[in-house]
Amino acid sequence: MKKISWGTGIVIAIIIFVVLVLVQTIYLMNQKVDLVEEDYYKKGIEYQKDIDVQKKTSELSEQVRFDFNGQYLIISFPENLSDNKISGEVLLYRPSDSGLDIKFPLQTDSLSQVIPVSDLKKGFWRVKLRWQYEGQDYYDESSFLVE
């Protein structure tokens, strides 16, 4: 059996290293990358406005409740509000795949909204609630796991 010289060994090691780097680069370049938000940079600039709205929401005497029972997500508004003055939108946000996000208008019935979630793909979901009451903006969010 012929021994490999140290020079040949170094060349083989360099070639293996270069091939591994190229394979890894090609693999990573073909991975799907979803931004958290479509208008990520624009929303980043407006972030202070969102912080102010969240602060105003946290100062409410009663908070919005999110109840998840496996089949339904129930959003309950404070009882001191009038349901016909509440408007807004609900976003069911899937961090791992923006293609699964669902947005729909807020429709309160007796200060609550029931959202069926049994058809959602299994995994982690976040509900983002942007709502208005008597001209004031509010924002609340919660998360749940569909199994």
Side-chain angles (χ1 to χ4, degrees), residues 46-60:
E46 297 173 352
Y47 191 63
Q48 184 60 46
K49 182 180 173 185
D50 290 342
I51 291 172
D52 296 339
V53 170
Q54 287 177 348
K55 182 179 179 194
K56 186 182 300 181
T57 303
S58 68
E59 292 172 352
L60 288 172

Side-chain angles (χ1 to χ4, degrees), residues 34-73:
D34 279 336
L35 291 176
V36 174
E37 302 270 352
E38 282 296 318
D39 300 330
Y40 180 77
Y41 294 106
K42 179 182 171 190
K43 291 190 187 238
I45 292 170
E46 297 173 352
Y47 191 63
Q48 184 60 46
K49 182 180 173 185
D50 290 342
I51 291 172
D52 296 339
V53 170
Q54 287 177 348
K55 182 179 179 194
K56 186 182 300 181
T57 303
S58 68
E59 292 172 352
L60 288 172
S61 60
E62 232 182 294
Q63 297 299 311
V64 174
R65 282 192 344 264
F66 297 91
D67 298 311
F68 176 69
N69 65 10
Q71 297 293 319
Y72 298 99
L73 173 66

Side-chain angles (χ1 to χ4, degrees), residues 53-54 56-68 73-81 86-87 89-90 106 108 111-113 115 127-133 137-143:
V53 170
Q54 287 177 348
K56 186 182 300 181
T57 303
S58 68
E59 292 172 352
L60 288 172
S61 60
E62 232 182 294
Q63 297 299 311
V64 174
R65 282 192 344 264
F66 297 91
D67 298 311
F68 176 69
L73 173 66
I74 303 164
I75 302 172
S76 303
F77 289 89
E79 294 190 16
N80 61 343
L81 304 180
I86 298 173
S87 63
E89 69 180 16
V90 178
L106 185 62
T108 57
L111 294 174
S112 65
Q113 179 157 353
I115 302 168
V127 57
K128 295 183 175 188
L129 174 65
R130 293 193 181 279
W131 55 288
Q132 295 82 34
Y133 181 74
D137 291 334
Y138 297 94
Y139 175 81
D140 219 331
E141 67 179 55
S142 184
S143 57

